[in-house]
Amino acid sequence: QVQLAESGGGSVQAGGSLRLSCAASGYTYSLYCSAWFRQAPGKEREVVAAIDPNGRTLYADSVKGQFSISKDDAKDILYLQMNNLKPEDTARYYCAWDRGRRLKGREEEFKYWGQGTQVTVSL
């Protein structure tokens, strides 16, 4: 069994920064692929960023140059550094992990999900 716990969300003014964390615990063996998704009210969940065990990353076009995904493999913690936040970044952010070594970016590719952390950006 795998448990994921996100933290770091909150309310911030536009232009501010937040860093989200997602700690994995339990049977984390070979949990190499991870990603951040977000879901805004009335919208479908979308991938924000993903990373594979080789450090390759993918980003949604809307966050390129603004967000940065990273991972501490020794501690099984996934991070999302979010800079220059905008009101349209307001959403609930979810981390997702899966086994394997391939870079993954679709919801259906991830088996383990956190409960989410709310990010609210105001003008």
Side-chain angles (χ1 to χ4, degrees):
Q1 192 73 344
V2 175
Q3 296 81 39
L4 303 179
E6 298 111 331
S7 61
S11 297
V12 65
Q13 287 190 322
S17 298
L18 286 173
R19 189 175 80 154
L20 305 183
S21 300
C22 173
S25 61
Y27 188 64
T28 61
Y29 177 74
S30 77
L31 275 183
Y32 298 132
C33 301
S34 48
W36 288 97
F37 289 77
R38 68 185 180 186
Q39 186 168 22
K43 294 187 177 181
E44 294 186 352
R45 190 154 55 182
E46 61 176 0
V47 66
V48 175
I51 189 168
D52 78 0
N54 294 314
R56 291 178 298 180
T57 57
L58 67 83
Y59 292 93
D61 288 342
S62 58
V63 304
K64 285 181 180 176
Q66 183 189 358
F67 290 5
S68 178
I69 189 172
S70 61
K71 193 174 172 187
D72 185 331
D73 290 324
K75 298 181 179 179
D76 288 329
I77 300 177
L78 179 70
Y79 299 101
L80 184 68
Q81 178 67 44
M82 306 185 295
N83 298 324
N84 190 26
L85 283 161
K86 307 168 187 175
E88 50 263 43
D89 295 317
T90 294
R92 191 163 185 86
Y93 285 71
Y94 299 87
C95 64
W97 293 58
D98 198 62
R99 306 192 188 281
R101 307 189 73 86
R102 181 173 56 86
L103 185 63
K104 301 177 181 181
R106 296 181 299 171
E107 268 194 77
E108 58 269 26
E109 295 179 305
F110 291 91
K111 182 176 181 179
Y112 304 104
W113 291 82
Q115 294 299 307
T117 185
Q118 180 66 34
V119 172
T120 303
V121 184
S122 59
L123 288 171

